Amino acid sequence: VTDERRAPEGGPEAVAVRDPRERAIDVEVEAVGVEGEIAVVRGPASIREPLARAAPAIRSLGFSYVALELDVEVITQRNA
Amino acid sequence: VDSVFLAVSALDDLGPDLVLAVTGRSASFADAQHRVALECVERFGIPHLEVDTHELDDPDYAANPSDRCYFCKRELWDRLDGVARARGLRTIVDGSNADDASDHRPGARAARERAVRSPLQEAGLTKAEIRLLSRARGLPTWDAPASPCLASRLPYGVAVTPDRLRQVERAEAELRRRGLRELRVRHHGTVARIEVAPAELDGAADRIGPAVPALRALGFERVVVDVEGYRRGALNEALVQIGTRGAA
């Protein structure tokens, strides 16, 4: 698991990119929030359920929450 | 849910001369909840008074420590104590229920210090039982989602400010307009983390996605959906983790 925290451009939020692939979860996780407490995965709504199943394993890496950042552009196009 | 049930029950048992329902108003109290309170007191003829509370002016509250609720309740009970004395009312009661006894409730300490009673808790009534009784009594709040104050959306340590509370309130209103019913917008600095009730998670993305631009316009740079959905006291989970780390 890589844990290289770096300051984001243009903001005080702590950001870390952690790769939880060692736990066999094939997603890229970005640490977001006041202290990097949220593990954020960007993707479509369809990955929410498998992500929810993986959430305890992701949280065990030191996150408090696991969240999905929706591909808004895709949803907007679908609803248009 | 609990406060309306308590107020109507007190009115049923004691009559209007011995009961006064009081609503504490501040930026941490959502407008939608205020409207529900006003509708209920009018519909059921509950004697009612509104007082402004100033917990946001208290640095101990505004710093948002894990016992923030203590400072809020202390302010509220102090205001109500003045009201009770002025009107010759003997006892101040709140709507805490039996479930609350097992939750992280620092506000209960303020109630104990000021001899505030909790009849629903003393009677051992759980939230589910209060909902059933509310339904039987014809109260419109029987199935209303739980509605803790807006400050509960801010992680401990993030200062409570009127601007942040307004951000949360407007974001939640936007999502409710799009059909979501039970939800929380958790304020993580520039990030809005949305918790939706598990029963509403399927299809929630279709409602949340189109609302993202509106939430960004409120000042959230990023909008994310908690994959596990709404959990009561979710921000306390981080508190437990911090405590565990500290003990390690």
Side-chain angles (χ1 to χ4, degrees), chain A residues 13 30 32 34 37-38 40 45 48 51-52 55 59 62-70 72 75 78-79, chain B residues 158 188-191 193 201-202 205-206 209-210 212 222-228 231 234-235 238 241 245:
Chain A
E13 304 296 322
E30 183 182 1
V32 168
V34 178
E37 68 273 24
I38 313 171
V40 170
R48 188 202 62 78
L51 206 50
R59 278 195 273 106
F63 296 102
S64 297
Y65 315 101
V66 181
L68 174 64
E69 187 167 39
L70 294 165
V72 176
I75 293 171
R78 198 173 62 208
N79 289 350
Chain B
V158 173
H188 295 263
T190 57
V191 182
R193 181 175 58 85
L201 271 171
D202 285 342
D206 288 334
V212 168
R222 301 183 71 171
V223 178
V224 301
V225 183
D226 192 292
V227 297
E228 296 170 285
R231 303 171 305 284
L235 291 177
Q241 282 202 357
R245 283 180 199 148

mmCIF file of all heavy atoms in Angstrom, chain A residues 13 30 32 34 37-38 40 45 48 51-52 55 59 62-70 72 75 78-79, chain B residues 158 188-191 193 201-202 205-206 209-210 212 222-228 231 234-235 238 241 245:
data_model
loop_
_atom_site.group_PDB
_atom_site.id
_atom_site.type_symbol
_atom_site.label_atom_id
_atom_site.label_comp_id
_atom_site.label_asym_id
_atom_site.label_seq_id
_atom_site.Cartn_x
_atom_site.Cartn_y
_atom_site.Cartn_z
ATOM 1 N N GLU A 13 -6.663 21.180 1.730
ATOM 2 C CA GLU A 13 -7.080 19.826 2.061
ATOM 3 C C GLU A 13 -5.918 18.847 1.899
ATOM 4 O O GLU A 13 -5.162 18.912 0.941
ATOM 5 C CB GLU A 13 -8.221 19.388 1.134
ATOM 6 C CG GLU A 13 -9.417 20.308 1.156
ATOM 7 C CD GLU A 13 -10.081 20.333 2.516
ATOM 8 O OE1 GLU A 13 -10.155 19.274 3.143
ATOM 9 O OE2 GLU A 13 -10.501 21.408 2.945
ATOM 10 N N GLU A 30 -8.578 7.986 -3.462
ATOM 11 C CA GLU A 30 -7.989 9.282 -3.136
ATOM 12 C C GLU A 30 -8.462 9.684 -1.746
ATOM 13 O O GLU A 30 -9.648 9.570 -1.438
ATOM 14 C CB GLU A 30 -8.457 10.318 -4.164
ATOM 15 C CG GLU A 30 -7.852 11.686 -3.975
ATOM 16 C CD GLU A 30 -8.389 12.688 -4.977
ATOM 17 O OE1 GLU A 30 -9.248 12.313 -5.805
ATOM 18 O OE2 GLU A 30 -7.958 13.842 -4.930
ATOM 19 N N VAL A 32 -9.545 12.250 0.822
ATOM 20 C CA VAL A 32 -10.148 13.575 0.691
ATOM 21 C C VAL A 32 -10.761 13.952 2.028
ATOM 22 O O VAL A 32 -11.089 13.086 2.839
ATOM 23 C CB VAL A 32 -11.238 13.527 -0.422
ATOM 24 C CG1 VAL A 32 -12.106 14.771 -0.403
ATOM 25 C CG2 VAL A 32 -10.584 13.372 -1.792
ATOM 26 N N VAL A 34 -11.051 16.900 5.494
ATOM 27 C CA VAL A 34 -10.261 17.795 6.334
ATOM 28 C C VAL A 34 -8.906 17.182 6.672
ATOM 29 O O VAL A 34 -7.871 17.849 6.661
ATOM 30 C CB VAL A 34 -11.039 18.126 7.629
ATOM 31 C CG1 VAL A 34 -10.206 19.023 8.543
ATOM 32 C CG2 VAL A 34 -12.365 18.813 7.292
ATOM 33 N N GLU A 37 -9.788 11.910 5.626
ATOM 34 C CA GLU A 37 -10.543 10.852 6.303
ATOM 35 C C GLU A 37 -11.501 10.088 5.382
ATOM 36 O O GLU A 37 -12.035 9.053 5.760
ATOM 37 C CB GLU A 37 -11.326 11.442 7.490
ATOM 38 C CG GLU A 37 -12.472 12.391 7.121
ATOM 39 C CD GLU A 37 -12.011 13.855 6.946
ATOM 40 O OE1 GLU A 37 -10.818 14.067 6.669
ATOM 41 O OE2 GLU A 37 -12.860 14.750 7.068
ATOM 42 N N ILE A 38 -11.720 10.622 4.170
ATOM 43 C CA ILE A 38 -12.653 9.966 3.251
ATOM 44 C C ILE A 38 -11.862 9.304 2.123
ATOM 45 O O ILE A 38 -11.070 9.958 1.439
ATOM 46 C CB ILE A 38 -13.640 10.976 2.630
ATOM 47 C CG1 ILE A 38 -14.244 11.898 3.697
ATOM 48 C CG2 ILE A 38 -14.746 10.233 1.878
ATOM 49 C CD1 ILE A 38 -15.041 13.047 3.105
ATOM 50 N N VAL A 40 -12.097 8.245 -1.412
ATOM 51 C CA VAL A 40 -13.002 8.549 -2.521
ATOM 52 C C VAL A 40 -12.569 7.791 -3.770
ATOM 53 O O VAL A 40 -11.400 7.780 -4.146
ATOM 54 C CB VAL A 40 -13.021 10.070 -2.814
ATOM 55 C CG1 VAL A 40 -13.763 10.359 -4.120
ATOM 56 C CG2 VAL A 40 -13.690 10.808 -1.667
ATOM 57 N N ALA A 45 -22.358 5.046 -10.934
ATOM 58 C CA ALA A 45 -23.179 4.589 -9.812
ATOM 59 C C ALA A 45 -23.155 3.075 -9.666
ATOM 60 O O ALA A 45 -23.343 2.548 -8.560
ATOM 61 C CB ALA A 45 -24.609 5.080 -10.003
ATOM 62 N N ARG A 48 -21.221 1.299 -6.818
ATOM 63 C CA ARG A 48 -21.482 1.568 -5.402
ATOM 64 C C ARG A 48 -21.601 0.288 -4.579
ATOM 65 O O ARG A 48 -21.021 0.164 -3.495
ATOM 66 C CB ARG A 48 -22.743 2.407 -5.215
ATOM 67 C CG ARG A 48 -22.926 2.858 -3.755
ATOM 68 C CD ARG A 48 -24.344 3.206 -3.413
ATOM 69 N NE ARG A 48 -25.275 2.117 -3.545
ATOM 70 C CZ ARG A 48 -25.416 1.134 -2.668
ATOM 71 N NH1 ARG A 48 -24.665 1.101 -1.584
ATOM 72 N NH2 ARG A 48 -26.295 0.179 -2.856
ATOM 73 N N LEU A 51 -18.381 -1.538 -4.088
ATOM 74 C CA LEU A 51 -17.546 -0.681 -3.244
ATOM 75 C C LEU A 51 -18.001 -0.751 -1.778
ATOM 76 O O LEU A 51 -17.181 -0.739 -0.856
ATOM 77 C CB LEU A 51 -17.628 0.755 -3.768
ATOM 78 C CG LEU A 51 -16.458 1.688 -3.500
ATOM 79 C CD1 LEU A 51 -15.136 1.065 -3.893
ATOM 80 C CD2 LEU A 51 -16.664 2.998 -4.242
ATOM 81 N N ALA A 52 -19.312 -0.829 -1.588
ATOM 82 C CA ALA A 52 -19.842 -0.934 -0.224
ATOM 83 C C ALA A 52 -19.367 -2.234 0.423
ATOM 84 O O ALA A 52 -19.049 -2.274 1.614
ATOM 85 C CB ALA A 52 -21.372 -0.870 -0.251
ATOM 86 N N ALA A 55 -15.912 -1.760 1.488
ATOM 87 C CA ALA A 55 -15.684 -0.616 2.378
ATOM 88 C C ALA A 55 -14.961 -0.986 3.677
ATOM 89 O O ALA A 55 -14.029 -0.276 4.080
ATOM 90 C CB ALA A 55 -17.008 0.090 2.664
ATOM 91 N N ARG A 59 -11.641 0.855 4.787
ATOM 92 C CA ARG A 59 -11.565 1.622 6.037
ATOM 93 C C ARG A 59 -10.442 1.117 6.936
ATOM 94 O O ARG A 59 -9.836 1.872 7.688
ATOM 95 C CB ARG A 59 -12.909 1.578 6.763
ATOM 96 C CG ARG A 59 -13.898 2.606 6.214
ATOM 97 C CD ARG A 59 -15.097 2.846 7.122
ATOM 98 N NE ARG A 59 -16.166 1.906 6.860
ATOM 99 C CZ ARG A 59 -16.476 0.888 7.648
ATOM 100 N NH1 ARG A 59 -15.810 0.681 8.760
ATOM 101 N NH2 ARG A 59 -17.459 0.071 7.344
ATOM 102 N N GLY A 62 -7.202 2.895 7.291
ATOM 103 C CA GLY A 62 -7.060 4.119 8.057
ATOM 104 C C GLY A 62 -8.051 5.205 7.692
ATOM 105 O O GLY A 62 -7.941 6.330 8.176
ATOM 106 N N PHE A 63 -9.012 4.887 6.851
ATOM 107 C CA PHE A 63 -10.042 5.869 6.497
ATOM 108 C C PHE A 63 -11.252 5.711 7.425
ATOM 109 O O PHE A 63 -11.503 4.631 7.949
ATOM 110 C CB PHE A 63 -10.506 5.653 5.055
ATOM 111 C CG PHE A 63 -9.431 5.887 4.024
ATOM 112 C CD1 PHE A 63 -8.776 4.821 3.434
ATOM 113 C CD2 PHE A 63 -9.075 7.172 3.655
ATOM 114 C CE1 PHE A 63 -7.782 5.024 2.490
ATOM 115 C CE2 PHE A 63 -8.078 7.387 2.714
ATOM 116 C CZ PHE A 63 -7.440 6.320 2.120
ATOM 117 N N SER A 64 -11.978 6.793 7.579
ATOM 118 C CA SER A 64 -13.217 6.711 8.356
ATOM 119 C C SER A 64 -14.415 6.436 7.464
ATOM 120 O O SER A 64 -15.413 5.866 7.921
ATOM 121 C CB SER A 64 -13.450 8.027 9.111
ATOM 122 O OG SER A 64 -12.420 8.254 10.042
ATOM 123 N N TYR A 65 -14.358 6.860 6.214
ATOM 124 C CA TYR A 65 -15.499 6.748 5.304
ATOM 125 C C TYR A 65 -15.034 6.341 3.912
ATOM 126 O O TYR A 65 -13.912 6.647 3.510
ATOM 127 C CB TYR A 65 -16.248 8.085 5.206
ATOM 128 C CG TYR A 65 -16.490 8.744 6.541
ATOM 129 C CD1 TYR A 65 -15.691 9.797 6.974
ATOM 130 C CD2 TYR A 65 -17.492 8.274 7.388
ATOM 131 C CE1 TYR A 65 -15.874 10.381 8.213
ATOM 132 C CE2 TYR A 65 -17.682 8.854 8.633
ATOM 133 C CZ TYR A 65 -16.877 9.903 9.040
ATOM 134 O OH TYR A 65 -17.065 10.472 10.264
ATOM 135 N N VAL A 66 -15.923 5.689 3.195
ATOM 136 C CA VAL A 66 -15.652 5.333 1.802
ATOM 137 C C VAL A 66 -16.776 5.937 0.963
ATOM 138 O O VAL A 66 -17.965 5.724 1.254
ATOM 139 C CB VAL A 66 -15.613 3.811 1.603
ATOM 140 C CG1 VAL A 66 -15.298 3.483 0.150
ATOM 141 C CG2 VAL A 66 -14.581 3.180 2.532
ATOM 142 N N ALA A 67 -16.395 6.697 -0.051
ATOM 143 C CA ALA A 67 -17.416 7.421 -0.815
ATOM 144 C C ALA A 67 -17.133 7.342 -2.308
ATOM 145 O O ALA A 67 -15.995 7.143 -2.736
ATOM 146 C CB ALA A 67 -17.468 8.885 -0.369
ATOM 147 N N LEU A 68 -18.194 7.503 -3.043
ATOM 148 C CA LEU A 68 -18.137 7.458 -4.504
ATOM 149 C C LEU A 68 -18.342 8.861 -5.055
ATOM 150 O O LEU A 68 -19.293 9.555 -4.675
ATOM 151 C CB LEU A 68 -19.254 6.531 -5.010
ATOM 152 C CG LEU A 68 -19.482 6.434 -6.511
ATOM 153 C CD1 LEU A 68 -18.272 5.845 -7.213
ATOM 154 C CD2 LEU A 68 -20.720 5.578 -6.793
ATOM 155 N N GLU A 69 -17.437 9.273 -5.898
ATOM 156 C CA GLU A 69 -17.627 10.545 -6.609
ATOM 157 C C GLU A 69 -18.180 10.206 -7.980
ATOM 158 O O GLU A 69 -17.506 9.564 -8.793
ATOM 159 C CB GLU A 69 -16.312 11.315 -6.728
ATOM 160 C CG GLU A 69 -16.510 12.717 -7.304
ATOM 161 C CD GLU A 69 -15.267 13.581 -7.120
ATOM 162 O OE1 GLU A 69 -14.145 13.065 -7.277
ATOM 163 O OE2 GLU A 69 -15.417 14.769 -6.821
ATOM 164 N N LEU A 70 -19.414 10.581 -8.181
ATOM 165 C CA LEU A 70 -20.097 10.171 -9.409
ATOM 166 C C LEU A 70 -19.513 10.847 -10.639
ATOM 167 O O LEU A 70 -19.081 12.003 -10.582
ATOM 168 C CB LEU A 70 -21.586 10.532 -9.311
ATOM 169 C CG LEU A 70 -22.364 9.775 -8.239
ATOM 170 C CD1 LEU A 70 -23.704 10.456 -7.989
ATOM 171 C CD2 LEU A 70 -22.570 8.330 -8.654
ATOM 172 N N VAL A 72 -20.436 12.769 -12.992
ATOM 173 C CA VAL A 72 -21.625 13.592 -13.194
ATOM 174 C C VAL A 72 -21.929 13.800 -14.669
ATOM 175 O O VAL A 72 -23.085 13.811 -15.087
ATOM 176 C CB VAL A 72 -21.462 14.954 -12.480
ATOM 177 C CG1 VAL A 72 -22.645 15.853 -12.777
ATOM 178 C CG2 VAL A 72 -21.316 14.740 -11.001
ATOM 179 N N ILE A 75 -24.036 11.016 -15.983
ATOM 180 C CA ILE A 75 -25.415 11.057 -15.508
ATOM 181 C C ILE A 75 -26.184 12.170 -16.200
ATOM 182 O O ILE A 75 -27.322 11.993 -16.630
ATOM 183 C CB ILE A 75 -25.442 11.288 -13.984
ATOM 184 C CG1 ILE A 75 -24.868 10.059 -13.284
ATOM 185 C CG2 ILE A 75 -26.845 11.571 -13.481
ATOM 186 C CD1 ILE A 75 -24.637 10.248 -11.801
ATOM 187 N N ARG A 78 -27.157 11.142 -19.587
ATOM 188 C CA ARG A 78 -28.207 10.119 -19.601
ATOM 189 C C ARG A 78 -29.571 10.731 -19.322
ATOM 190 O O ARG A 78 -30.586 10.337 -19.850
ATOM 191 C CB ARG A 78 -27.889 9.049 -18.545
ATOM 192 C CG ARG A 78 -28.648 7.765 -18.766
ATOM 193 C CD ARG A 78 -28.184 6.694 -17.807
ATOM 194 N NE ARG A 78 -28.415 7.068 -16.448
ATOM 195 C CZ ARG A 78 -27.674 6.630 -15.414
ATOM 196 N NH1 ARG A 78 -26.670 5.841 -15.643
ATOM 197 N NH2 ARG A 78 -27.961 6.979 -14.183
ATOM 198 N N ASN A 79 -29.598 11.728 -18.411
ATOM 199 C CA ASN A 79 -30.873 12.350 -18.045
ATOM 200 C C ASN A 79 -31.323 13.409 -19.039
ATOM 201 O O ASN A 79 -32.441 13.897 -18.967
ATOM 202 C CB ASN A 79 -30.767 12.985 -16.640
ATOM 203 C CG ASN A 79 -30.700 11.921 -15.580
ATOM 204 O OD1 ASN A 79 -30.921 10.747 -15.855
ATOM 205 N ND2 ASN A 79 -30.403 12.333 -14.350
ATOM 206 N N VAL B 158 -14.211 20.825 13.434
ATOM 207 C CA VAL B 158 -14.480 21.800 12.376
ATOM 208 C C VAL B 158 -15.439 22.839 12.959
ATOM 209 O O VAL B 158 -16.533 22.494 13.412
ATOM 210 C CB VAL B 158 -15.117 21.128 11.140
ATOM 211 C CG1 VAL B 158 -15.541 22.178 10.116
ATOM 212 C CG2 VAL B 158 -14.135 20.144 10.519
ATOM 213 N N HIS B 188 -17.278 18.258 5.131
ATOM 214 C CA HIS B 188 -15.849 17.970 5.361
ATOM 215 C C HIS B 188 -15.026 19.053 4.676
ATOM 216 O O HIS B 188 -14.357 18.798 3.671
ATOM 217 C CB HIS B 188 -15.483 16.602 4.797
ATOM 218 C CG HIS B 188 -16.147 15.442 5.473
ATOM 219 N ND1 HIS B 188 -15.540 14.691 6.469
ATOM 220 C CD2 HIS B 188 -17.371 14.897 5.303
ATOM 221 C CE1 HIS B 188 -16.364 13.728 6.872
ATOM 222 N NE2 HIS B 188 -17.482 13.825 6.183
ATOM 223 N N GLY B 189 -15.103 20.269 5.153
ATOM 224 C CA GLY B 189 -14.351 21.362 4.537
ATOM 225 C C GLY B 189 -14.932 21.697 3.177
ATOM 226 O O GLY B 189 -16.062 22.168 3.075
ATOM 227 N N THR B 190 -14.171 21.429 2.137
ATOM 228 C CA THR B 190 -14.661 21.729 0.790
ATOM 229 C C THR B 190 -15.416 20.538 0.178
ATOM 230 O O THR B 190 -15.826 20.607 -0.971
ATOM 231 C CB THR B 190 -13.483 22.082 -0.134
ATOM 232 O OG1 THR B 190 -12.558 20.990 -0.136
ATOM 233 C CG2 THR B 190 -12.787 23.348 0.328
ATOM 234 N N VAL B 191 -15.571 19.491 0.953
ATOM 235 C CA VAL B 191 -16.211 18.271 0.450
ATOM 236 C C VAL B 191 -17.562 18.062 1.117
ATOM 237 O O VAL B 191 -17.681 18.163 2.343
ATOM 238 C CB VAL B 191 -15.317 17.038 0.720
ATOM 239 C CG1 VAL B 191 -15.954 15.776 0.155
ATOM 240 C CG2 VAL B 191 -13.930 17.244 0.139
ATOM 241 N N ARG B 193 -20.107 15.149 1.832
ATOM 242 C CA ARG B 193 -20.273 13.694 1.784
ATOM 243 C C ARG B 193 -21.734 13.386 2.101
ATOM 244 O O ARG B 193 -22.215 13.703 3.185
ATOM 245 C CB ARG B 193 -19.347 12.993 2.785
ATOM 246 C CG ARG B 193 -19.471 11.453 2.755
ATOM 247 C CD ARG B 193 -18.442 10.814 3.679
ATOM 248 N NE ARG B 193 -18.564 11.275 5.045
ATOM 249 C CZ ARG B 193 -19.409 10.759 5.948
ATOM 250 N NH1 ARG B 193 -20.176 9.752 5.630
ATOM 251 N NH2 ARG B 193 -19.457 11.260 7.176
ATOM 252 N N LEU B 201 -30.872 3.903 -1.142
ATOM 253 C CA LEU B 201 -29.597 3.924 -1.872
ATOM 254 C C LEU B 201 -29.755 3.527 -3.339
ATOM 255 O O LEU B 201 -29.114 4.101 -4.215
ATOM 256 C CB LEU B 201 -28.589 2.994 -1.186
ATOM 257 C CG LEU B 201 -27.732 3.650 -0.088
ATOM 258 C CD1 LEU B 201 -26.939 2.602 0.662
ATOM 259 C CD2 LEU B 201 -26.805 4.705 -0.664
ATOM 260 N N ASP B 202 -30.614 2.531 -3.601
ATOM 261 C CA ASP B 202 -30.822 2.143 -4.993
ATOM 262 C C ASP B 202 -31.469 3.301 -5.740
ATOM 263 O O ASP B 202 -32.541 3.768 -5.366
ATOM 264 C CB ASP B 202 -31.728 0.900 -5.075
ATOM 265 C CG ASP B 202 -30.964 -0.358 -4.682
ATOM 266 O OD1 ASP B 202 -29.723 -0.312 -4.689
ATOM 267 O OD2 ASP B 202 -31.622 -1.366 -4.350
ATOM 268 N N ALA B 205 -28.245 7.669 -6.908
ATOM 269 C CA ALA B 205 -27.294 8.375 -7.768
ATOM 270 C C ALA B 205 -28.016 9.181 -8.846
ATOM 271 O O ALA B 205 -27.570 10.268 -9.224
ATOM 272 C CB ALA B 205 -26.336 7.379 -8.407
ATOM 273 N N ASP B 206 -29.122 8.643 -9.335
ATOM 274 C CA ASP B 206 -29.875 9.359 -10.363
ATOM 275 C C ASP B 206 -30.455 10.663 -9.827
ATOM 276 O O ASP B 206 -30.755 11.584 -10.588
ATOM 277 C CB ASP B 206 -30.994 8.476 -10.910
ATOM 278 C CG ASP B 206 -30.432 7.351 -11.778
ATOM 279 O OD1 ASP B 206 -29.329 7.536 -12.327
ATOM 280 O OD2 ASP B 206 -31.092 6.299 -11.887
ATOM 281 N N GLY B 209 -26.823 12.933 -8.764
ATOM 282 C CA GLY B 209 -25.999 13.414 -9.875
ATOM 283 C C GLY B 209 -26.436 14.771 -10.404
ATOM 284 O O GLY B 209 -25.623 15.710 -10.474
ATOM 285 N N PRO B 210 -27.708 14.919 -10.762
ATOM 286 C CA PRO B 210 -28.137 16.226 -11.291
ATOM 287 C C PRO B 210 -28.066 17.363 -10.272
ATOM 288 O O PRO B 210 -28.106 18.532 -10.649
ATOM 289 C CB PRO B 210 -29.603 15.959 -11.695
ATOM 290 C CG PRO B 210 -29.686 14.484 -11.887
ATOM 291 C CD PRO B 210 -28.751 13.895 -10.885
ATOM 292 N N VAL B 212 -25.531 17.847 -8.236
ATOM 293 C CA VAL B 212 -24.131 18.184 -7.944
ATOM 294 C C VAL B 212 -23.790 19.639 -8.307
ATOM 295 O O VAL B 212 -23.164 20.347 -7.504
ATOM 296 C CB VAL B 212 -23.173 17.186 -8.635
ATOM 297 C CG1 VAL B 212 -21.732 17.682 -8.578
ATOM 298 C CG2 VAL B 212 -23.278 15.809 -7.970
ATOM 299 N N ARG B 222 -16.231 19.473 -3.974
ATOM 300 C CA ARG B 222 -16.449 18.086 -4.368
ATOM 301 C C ARG B 222 -17.674 17.537 -3.640
ATOM 302 O O ARG B 222 -17.925 17.871 -2.482
ATOM 303 C CB ARG B 222 -15.208 17.243 -4.054
ATOM 304 C CG ARG B 222 -13.988 17.796 -4.787
ATOM 305 C CD ARG B 222 -12.766 16.965 -4.565
ATOM 306 N NE ARG B 222 -12.853 15.680 -5.250
ATOM 307 C CZ ARG B 222 -11.817 14.853 -5.347
ATOM 308 N NH1 ARG B 222 -10.654 15.172 -4.811
ATOM 309 N NH2 ARG B 222 -11.937 13.703 -5.978
ATOM 310 N N VAL B 223 -18.399 16.703 -4.361
ATOM 311 C CA VAL B 223 -19.617 16.095 -3.814
ATOM 312 C C VAL B 223 -19.469 14.588 -3.961
ATOM 313 O O VAL B 223 -19.312 14.080 -5.078
ATOM 314 C CB VAL B 223 -20.859 16.588 -4.577
ATOM 315 C CG1 VAL B 223 -22.119 15.913 -4.029
ATOM 316 C CG2 VAL B 223 -20.969 18.107 -4.489
ATOM 317 N N VAL B 224 -19.496 13.876 -2.840
ATOM 318 C CA VAL B 224 -19.310 12.436 -2.889
ATOM 319 C C VAL B 224 -20.443 11.747 -2.132
ATOM 320 O O VAL B 224 -21.069 12.335 -1.250
ATOM 321 C CB VAL B 224 -17.936 12.022 -2.300
ATOM 322 C CG1 VAL B 224 -16.802 12.686 -3.073
ATOM 323 C CG2 VAL B 224 -17.839 12.351 -0.814
ATOM 324 N N VAL B 225 -20.697 10.497 -2.509
ATOM 325 C CA VAL B 225 -21.791 9.728 -1.906
ATOM 326 C C VAL B 225 -21.197 8.617 -1.056
ATOM 327 O O VAL B 225 -20.411 7.801 -1.561
ATOM 328 C CB VAL B 225 -22.693 9.113 -2.996
ATOM 329 C CG1 VAL B 225 -23.871 8.384 -2.360
ATOM 330 C CG2 VAL B 225 -23.159 10.175 -3.972
ATOM 331 N N ASP B 226 -21.546 8.575 0.212
ATOM 332 C CA ASP B 226 -21.057 7.508 1.083
ATOM 333 C C ASP B 226 -21.643 6.182 0.601
ATOM 334 O O ASP B 226 -22.859 6.039 0.489
ATOM 335 C CB ASP B 226 -21.469 7.782 2.527
ATOM 336 C CG ASP B 226 -20.742 6.880 3.506
ATOM 337 O OD1 ASP B 226 -20.997 5.658 3.497
ATOM 338 O OD2 ASP B 226 -19.913 7.393 4.269
ATOM 339 N N VAL B 227 -20.771 5.215 0.312
ATOM 340 C CA VAL B 227 -21.253 3.972 -0.312
ATOM 341 C C VAL B 227 -22.037 3.107 0.670
ATOM 342 O O VAL B 227 -22.782 2.222 0.263
ATOM 343 C CB VAL B 227 -20.095 3.151 -0.912
ATOM 344 C CG1 VAL B 227 -19.415 3.936 -2.020
ATOM 345 C CG2 VAL B 227 -19.106 2.706 0.151
ATOM 346 N N GLU B 228 -21.862 3.362 1.967
ATOM 347 C CA GLU B 228 -22.571 2.545 2.963
ATOM 348 C C GLU B 228 -23.862 3.191 3.438
ATOM 349 O O GLU B 228 -24.601 2.588 4.211
ATOM 350 C CB GLU B 228 -21.643 2.265 4.143
ATOM 351 C CG GLU B 228 -20.437 1.441 3.734
ATOM 352 C CD GLU B 228 -19.392 1.356 4.830
ATOM 353 O OE1 GLU B 228 -18.674 2.348 5.047
ATOM 354 O OE2 GLU B 228 -19.306 0.305 5.458
ATOM 355 N N ARG B 231 -25.808 6.302 8.489
ATOM 356 C CA ARG B 231 -25.698 5.571 9.741
ATOM 357 C C ARG B 231 -25.825 6.580 10.872
ATOM 358 O O ARG B 231 -25.147 7.611 10.871
ATOM 359 C CB ARG B 231 -24.356 4.844 9.840
ATOM 360 C CG ARG B 231 -24.151 3.920 8.676
ATOM 361 C CD ARG B 231 -22.780 3.333 8.567
ATOM 362 N NE ARG B 231 -21.643 4.220 8.539
ATOM 363 C CZ ARG B 231 -21.271 4.955 7.483
ATOM 364 N NH1 ARG B 231 -22.006 4.987 6.398
ATOM 365 N NH2 ARG B 231 -20.186 5.688 7.530
ATOM 366 N N ALA B 234 -22.774 8.719 12.504
ATOM 367 C CA ALA B 234 -21.632 8.336 11.668
ATOM 368 C C ALA B 234 -20.371 9.119 12.025
ATOM 369 O O ALA B 234 -19.267 8.584 11.952
ATOM 370 C CB ALA B 234 -21.979 8.548 10.191
ATOM 371 N N LEU B 235 -20.541 10.386 12.413
ATOM 372 C CA LEU B 235 -19.348 11.170 12.738
ATOM 373 C C LEU B 235 -18.713 10.700 14.044
ATOM 374 O O LEU B 235 -17.550 10.983 14.314
ATOM 375 C CB LEU B 235 -19.697 12.658 12.803
ATOM 376 C CG LEU B 235 -20.043 13.274 11.440
ATOM 377 C CD1 LEU B 235 -20.445 14.736 11.600
ATOM 378 C CD2 LEU B 235 -18.878 13.173 10.471
ATOM 379 N N ALA B 238 -15.650 8.259 13.508
ATOM 380 C CA ALA B 238 -14.309 8.840 13.446
ATOM 381 C C ALA B 238 -13.790 9.104 14.850
ATOM 382 O O ALA B 238 -12.609 8.922 15.149
ATOM 383 C CB ALA B 238 -14.329 10.127 12.630
ATOM 384 N N GLN B 241 -12.525 5.947 16.242
ATOM 385 C CA GLN B 241 -11.231 5.610 15.647
ATOM 386 C C GLN B 241 -10.110 6.420 16.282
ATOM 387 O O GLN B 241 -9.053 5.892 16.595
ATOM 388 C CB GLN B 241 -11.247 5.894 14.145
ATOM 389 C CG GLN B 241 -11.978 4.817 13.368
ATOM 390 C CD GLN B 241 -11.527 4.809 11.916
ATOM 391 O OE1 GLN B 241 -10.717 5.634 11.511
ATOM 392 N NE2 GLN B 241 -12.041 3.881 11.150
ATOM 393 N N ARG B 245 -6.992 4.926 18.279
ATOM 394 C CA ARG B 245 -5.600 5.223 17.942
ATOM 395 C C ARG B 245 -4.863 5.777 19.157
ATOM 396 O O ARG B 245 -3.749 5.431 19.439
ATOM 397 C CB ARG B 245 -5.551 6.264 16.816
ATOM 398 C CG ARG B 245 -5.845 5.677 15.452
ATOM 399 C CD ARG B 245 -5.758 6.792 14.426
ATOM 400 N NE ARG B 245 -6.444 6.434 13.215
ATOM 401 C CZ ARG B 245 -7.058 7.291 12.414
ATOM 402 N NH1 ARG B 245 -7.069 8.570 12.721
ATOM 403 N NH2 ARG B 245 -7.646 6.901 11.324
#
